[in-house]
């Protein structure tokens, strides 16, 4: 059986992205490479990582679609569970996230909200599902 070890998002500026996630969501950086091409956050069992698009292009020679904050988000999201969605949602907005969907309670009782990070990636901020 495989283990889900990490997600890597390709970004233009790894350091700025790490700083955003520290400010918006309270994560701590694990490290950023000296050249700023790659960095990781301490996020629990699964690592959230960022690679500079130039580095990613060396690994994927056929290219890929880059995230664009001005375009619609990809059909992909990263999700963070929190105790107080409204508070975490507002903290993310104050740190520079873009509003997508204000917190609302789903029929199953979960509180869910959405923002986009400074790179345009979709982030769900929600309570855990019991």
């Amino acid at each position: 059986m495989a283990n889900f070890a990490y997600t890597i998002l390709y970004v233009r500026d790894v350091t700025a992205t790490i700083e955003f996630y520290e400010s918006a969501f309270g994560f701590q950086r694990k490290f950023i490479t000296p050249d700023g091409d790659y960095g990781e956050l301490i996020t629990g069992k699964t690592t959230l990582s960022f690679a500079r698009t130039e580095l990613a292009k060396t690994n994927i020679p056929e290219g890929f679609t880059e995230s664009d904050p001005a375009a619609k988000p990809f059909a992909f999201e990263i999700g963070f569970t929190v105790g107080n969605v409204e508070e975490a949602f507002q903290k993310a907005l104050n740190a520079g996230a873009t509003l997508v969907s204000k917190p609302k309670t789903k029929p199953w009782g979960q509180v869910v909200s959405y923002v986009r990070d400074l790179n345009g990636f979709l982030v769900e901020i929600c309570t855990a599902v019991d």
Side-chain angles (χ1 to χ4, degrees):
M1 179 177 99
N3 291 313
F4 184 29
Y6 53 85
T7 294
I8 303 174
L9 301 178
Y10 301 154
V11 300
R12 290 183 185 97
D13 187 331
V14 171
T15 301
T17 301
I18 293 276
E19 290 171 350
F20 167 79
Y21 277 84
E22 288 172 329
S23 176
F25 303 106
F27 291 118
Q28 291 181 318
R29 77 182 66 189
K30 185 173 182 181
F31 72 91
I32 299 174
T33 59
D35 58 7
D37 278 350
Y38 180 81
E40 295 182 354
L41 291 169
I42 299 170
T43 57
K45 291 181 182 180
T46 303
T47 300
L48 180 57
S49 315
F50 305 95
R52 202 161 55 102
T53 52
E54 287 76 12
L55 173 64
K57 289 174 184 176
T58 67
N59 296 328
I60 306 170
E62 296 299 317
F64 50 87
T65 304
E66 292 186 41
S67 182
D68 180 355
K72 288 185 179 181
F74 295 121
F76 171 87
E77 66 183 65
I78 53 176
F80 303 135
T81 56
V82 298
N84 183 323
V85 173
E86 183 62 48
E87 183 179 291
F89 174 78
Q90 192 58 54
K91 182 177 179 183
L93 293 178
N94 291 345
T98 304
L99 169 72
V100 174
S101 177
K102 292 182 180 181
K104 59 180 134 184
T105 303
K106 297 294 186 179
W108 52 90
Q110 183 185 33
V111 180
V112 176
S113 67
Y114 292 91
V115 297
R116 290 180 74 183
D117 75 2
L118 69 159
N119 301 289
F121 291 107
L122 194 58
V123 178
E124 178 180 355
I125 305 167
C126 61
T127 55
V129 177
D130 292 327

